[in-house]
Amino acid sequence: MHVFERFTGPADQVMCLAYEEADRLRHDYVGPEHVLAGLGRQEHGRTSGILQAAGLNVEAIRAQLDRLVDAGMLPGPWRSNSELLHGLGVDLSAVRRAVEDTFGSEAVCAAHRRVLGRSRLREDRIVCGSPLSGKAMLAKRALSLASKEADGMGQDDIGPEHVLLGVLRDAQDPLGSPRPGRRIRRIRAHLGLPQHGPSPVRLVIEASGTTLHALRAEVLAELHAAS
Amino acid sequence: MSELRPDEVTGLAAATRSQDPEVGLAAVAALRALVEVLETLQVDNARAKGWTWKTIAEQLGVSKQAVHQKYAGGGLFRARR
């Protein structure tokens, strides 16, 4: 079963919020750092409670992410497709509206998938995160680790707690370890993301004075208390 | 040095960046990705309307073989739909 099909309603909501957080930074991808911000934004969540108790409310997370953008460890807003095309005099939102009005958003998505499918077969084409639909998904490893956390607890559903555990586990390894495939490395380079160094999630969490291990212990204690 | 207003700063930054190959190349890649999707949409639409590969190729200004190979696929490397 696909990871997303196991997501509970609140976990789905976290991913929607993560997408919005990526939008806020005008990033053309969704990474673990946006998922962390999404987790912090969720209202009435056990996970956001844990994050807040550790000094990681959404404002603090956003401030840290902005700092990483300034430090060049995350791409700046000018790196987004819409800004790059704007620099060439192309209004991407107008193009999107025009083609969606003509062909419908489903056809636009289908065309985008076809282009991506071709890019996998032809190594010379660099097409990732089409300007017209969607963002590149770079949080796959964190989410697959989240599903392993749920598996380890014998739970079918993946909730926000598992997502946080997956994000924390993913952040323990520096960027580029284990070495991602050539396609992911190319997408990261194209998006202006570093290939090495500590994970942004780790930097955000440690900037608030806590550690990945301490947060993990908090989540596990919370899950244990609830069961 | 007199202080710059915020809009002057962004204007300056934009002017500096427009000379930066990183920006220029990334912009071209974004434009190319956009063109790929638009071309796919138009070719699919034309085929759905019964256009031949020859007429499509003529409108795109490329050879019939080029458009057929890219969109109809060449057996082994056929694009999955």
Side-chain angles (χ1 to χ4, degrees), chain A residues 78-79 81 84-85 88 90 92 95 99 103 107-108 111 114-115 118 120-122 125 127 130-132 190, chain B residues 17 22-23 26-27 29-31 33-34 36-38 40-42 44-45 69-71 77-81:
Chain A
W78 63 270
R79 260 291 191 164
N81 280 323
L84 288 167
L85 290 171
L88 295 174
V90 178
L92 187 58
V95 175
V99 292
F103 300 108
V108 175
R114 279 192 72 183
V115 170
R118 263 207 314 273
R120 271 198 285 277
L121 294 171
R122 295 189 179 187
R125 281 180 199 284
V127 185
S130 156
L132 278 178
H190 175 65
Chain B
R17 283 207 306 259
E22 191 185 355
V23 181
L31 192 59
L34 179 62
E36 288 284 330
V37 177
L38 293 181
T40 306
L41 273 168
Q42 295 294 348
D44 283 353
N45 183 46
Q69 188 184 5
K70 188 167 172 185
Y71 290 97
F77 298 109
R78 192 183 190 96
R80 282 165 294 175
R81 301 205 60 163

Side-chain angles (χ1 to χ4, degrees), chain A:
Chain A
M1 193 159 56
H2 195 273
V3 172
F4 287 120
E5 289 168 25
R6 294 175 57 191
F7 271 35
T8 61
D12 271 338
Q13 194 203 1
V14 165
M15 292 312 294
C16 288
L17 294 172
Y19 199 95
E20 285 178 21
E21 290 302 311
D23 260 346
R24 185 188 76 86
L25 291 157
R26 286 197 247 165
H27 285 161
D28 289 332
Y29 72 99
V30 177
E33 54 274 24
H34 306 122
V35 178
L36 180 69
L39 284 162
R41 240 182 89 184
Q42 212 190 17
E43 285 169 36
H44 328 294
R46 266 195 308 213
T47 22
S48 57
I50 294 169
L51 288 172
Q52 273 167 28
L56 287 160
N57 57 30
V58 68
E59 286 79 19
I61 297 173
R62 282 177 177 169
Q64 286 304 324
L65 291 177
D66 291 344
R67 200 182 55 83
L68 291 179
V69 169
D70 291 341
M73 299 174 87
L74 290 176
W78 63 270
R79 260 291 191 164
S80 68
N81 280 323
S82 63
E83 283 299 310
L84 288 167
L85 290 171
H86 180 74
L88 295 174
V90 178
D91 181 350
L92 187 58
S93 53
V95 175
R96 186 183 296 128
R97 267 197 308 276
V99 292
E100 285 186 352
D101 284 352
T102 315
F103 300 108
S105 52
E106 240 171 72
V108 175
C109 280
H112 168 234
R113 274 200 305 276
R114 279 192 72 183
V115 170
L116 282 181
R118 263 207 314 273
S119 73
R120 271 198 285 277
L121 294 171
R122 295 189 179 187
E123 287 292 313
D124 58 327
R125 281 180 199 284
I126 299 179
V127 185
C128 52
S130 156
L132 278 178
S133 61
K135 299 182 186 297
M137 185 59 187
L138 293 184
K140 269 188 187 156
R141 180 166 183 262
L143 298 181
S144 109
L145 289 166
S147 81
K148 284 194 184 124
E149 295 285 347
D151 290 343
M153 296 170 197
Q155 289 167 353
D156 287 335
D157 293 341
I158 300 172
E161 297 85 0
H162 304 120
V163 174
L164 178 55
L165 289 174
V167 167
L168 295 175
R169 176 66 196 80
D170 175 61
Q172 277 174 19
D173 299 318
L175 298 174
S177 154
R179 194 166 161 82
R182 190 184 303 174
R183 187 169 163 269
I184 293 293
R185 274 182 283 143
R186 204 171 54 211
I187 290 176
R188 292 188 64 91
H190 175 65
L191 290 166
L193 283 163
Q195 309 278 10
H196 306 285
S199 110
V201 168
R202 178 183 203 125
L203 295 172
V204 168
I205 286 172
E206 290 181 352
S208 84
T210 181
T211 64
L212 297 169
H213 286 289
L215 261 186
R216 182 185 166 82
E218 291 288 331
V219 182
L220 290 176
E222 188 78 28
L223 279 172
H224 190 71
S227 64

Side-chain angles (χ1 to χ4, degrees), chain B residues 7-57:
Chain B
D7 57 323
E8 282 178 314
V9 176
T10 47
L12 196 67
T16 326
R17 283 207 306 259
S18 64
Q19 285 282 317
D20 183 350
E22 191 185 355
V23 181
L25 292 170
V28 170
L31 192 59
R32 184 163 49 200
L34 179 62
V35 168
E36 288 284 330
V37 177
L38 293 181
E39 190 183 85
T40 306
L41 273 168
Q42 295 294 348
V43 170
D44 283 353
N45 183 46
R47 286 295 293 171
K49 289 201 158 64
W51 281 43
T52 62
W53 291 113
K54 184 166 173 288
T55 5
I56 293 171

